[in-house]
Amino acid sequence: ITSLKSSPLGYLLHQQSDDVSVPPRQALAARLEDAPDSMLRADLDGIAATATGEAAGAIRVRPANPDLEGIKWQERGRTATALSSRVWARATRLDGWWRRASFSGLTGKSHGAASSKEGAEKDDAQPHEHRYSAEHSAEEDRVAMWKFPSGTGAGTCLHAIFEHHDFRKPDELAAVVRDQLGKAGYAETDGWDPVVQTAVHRTLHRPLPLWAPPGQPATTLALEDLERCDRLDEMDFDFRVGPEGGHVTQAALADVLKRHRAADSPIPADYHEAVGRMRFQPFHGLVTGSIDLVFRHGGLWYVADYKSNHLGFRPEHYDHASMIEALGHRHYYIQYLLYTVALDRFLRQRIKGYTYEDHFGGAYYLFIRGIEGTAPAGPGVYFHRPAPALISALDALFETPPEKKR
């Protein structure tokens, strides 16, 4: 047994010292140092002999292989063998275009095409470059989280709060906030607990506009009214992109956005030009990602993404125009279009009779720092239901991308 003299099994079978002045571990190590097999066998035989009376024969000591008793291993002569690595003679070329692509992977090198800053999928890596300064805003006019740190770590912490909180149990919010802030390294003495609680409460309490068919009255929903069974948090996905030989390119993606943009779409009419300047390698294989929140209401399915981007210090810095600018800078339009395609494919597989027109409600971006008030069209909330023709064209692009010569 490896390390017998320091193992619990060695102590159980071979410790025989009654000298309390010597630590048991040291006494065992000294006794078993260079101990012959005969002594170890005698210890075991002694233990077996203690089984008497009705227990007689309950403990027996046998060699593992009687035929090898007393035989020790001896090295035999070896014949030197020349070693060499095998040569891989593949019959076909490796597919260099296949890979797993993600929103951040597709746009990580492309922010210069739409802006001068680079972002991350969950949150800005650095505070957003905005045209506002705190000095131009009175303290009482600033949004609650105007001082809360920016960056990926802060964004991940806020996402975790929404993920682990039961929206219908406001009394538990304080405990969830403290737990997640603590895990992210924020001490209670930092004073962020009430600030974050306020921002999360406002986000959950804010009425969100719901999609309604033409001619139907507009309605709203607050996330605090969602049951746990009606939401999926951090929904991971991988969806297939085309067969070998076809490749998704920025030109093909831009062409789809240009040809299928609806007249009433909030996506800028010239956004396809920025997409055409994106710098990602043509690919096929998989698109992967994680949707912050998928929820259902009234027979419709929605996606929502929490954004902790710092756009300014006052509520008006998170108005519709400011959010549109941020979405263009970060290529967030691409993000929620990918999420919509992913959820559309998922629901087609899971719901009998599903159609995008009848079952998909839309996509939200919730800019947590700027959500104020109870007006559905107020600051901090962006909503868009992409046209069915656009999602159908994107799905077709990913399913059968155009051929591209190697």
Side-chain angles (χ1 to χ4, degrees), residues 45-60:
D45 289 337
I47 294 174
T50 61
T52 59
E54 294 183 358
I59 303 176
R60 289 180 291 178

Side-chain angles (χ1 to χ4, degrees), residues 37-198:
D37 290 347
S38 58
M39 188 190 86
L40 301 179
R41 176 61 184 263
D43 288 346
L44 300 179
D45 289 337
I47 294 174
T50 61
T52 59
E54 294 183 358
I59 303 176
R60 289 180 291 178
V61 181
R62 293 179 178 178
N65 189 335
D67 296 336
L68 299 179
E69 186 74 10
I71 299 178
K72 294 186 177 181
W73 177 83
Q74 294 181 348
E75 184 177 5
R76 297 179 180 179
R78 295 183 179 181
T79 301
T81 303
L83 302 178
S84 62
S85 59
R86 297 179 63 185
V87 178
W88 181 24
R90 60 178 182 266
T92 59
R93 293 184 58 183
L94 288 177
D95 183 0
W97 301 105
W98 195 102
R99 72 178 190 272
R100 294 179 75 207
S102 65
F103 162 70
S104 56
L106 295 177
T107 64
K109 297 181 180 179
S110 307
H111 294 288
S115 76
S116 60
K117 296 292 289 180
E118 181 175 335
E121 188 160 350
K122 286 296 185 190
D123 190 20
D124 282 22
Q126 297 293 332
H128 182 67
E129 289 289 346
H130 49 75
R131 56 185 178 275
Y132 311 110
S133 63
E135 288 73 19
H136 296 159
S137 305
E139 182 79 30
E140 62 273 13
D141 294 333
R142 299 173 192 167
V143 294
M145 291 183 63
W146 73 278
K147 277 188 176 182
F148 189 72
S150 297
T152 303
T156 300
C157 173
L158 292 172
H159 280 72
I161 291 171
F162 285 100
E163 178 184 358
H164 294 285
H165 176 50
D166 187 335
F167 298 165
R168 292 181 63 86
K169 297 180 179 179
D171 293 343
E172 298 178 2
L173 177 59
V176 175
V177 168
R178 171 81 309 266
D179 179 55
Q180 295 302 324
L181 286 177
K183 291 178 178 178
Y186 299 103
E188 192 168 2
T189 54
D190 293 339
W192 293 126
D193 289 47
V195 173
V196 174
Q197 287 177 41
T198 297

Side-chain angles (χ1 to χ4, degrees), residues 326-340:
L327 265 65
H329 282 181
R330 303 297 180 185
H331 284 299
Y332 287 154
Y333 298 117
I334 298 296
Q335 184 182 34
Y336 75 76
L337 289 175
L338 292 177
Y339 289 178
T340 300

Side-chain angles (χ1 to χ4, degrees), residues 306-354:
Y306 309 115
K307 294 298 182 190
S308 57
N309 305 54
H310 194 296
L311 304 185
F313 300 91
R314 301 176 61 180
E316 55 264 37
H317 301 163
Y318 297 82
D319 60 12
H320 185 73
S322 298
M323 291 188 293
I324 289 292
E325 181 182 0
L327 265 65
H329 282 181
R330 303 297 180 185
H331 284 299
Y332 287 154
Y333 298 117
I334 298 296
Q335 184 182 34
Y336 75 76
L337 289 175
L338 292 177
Y339 289 178
T340 300
V341 171
L343 183 58
D344 180 58
R345 288 191 175 188
F346 175 75
L347 295 178
R348 270 188 275 153
Q349 297 174 356
R350 294 300 185 94
I351 299 179
K352 185 178 181 179
Y354 167 87

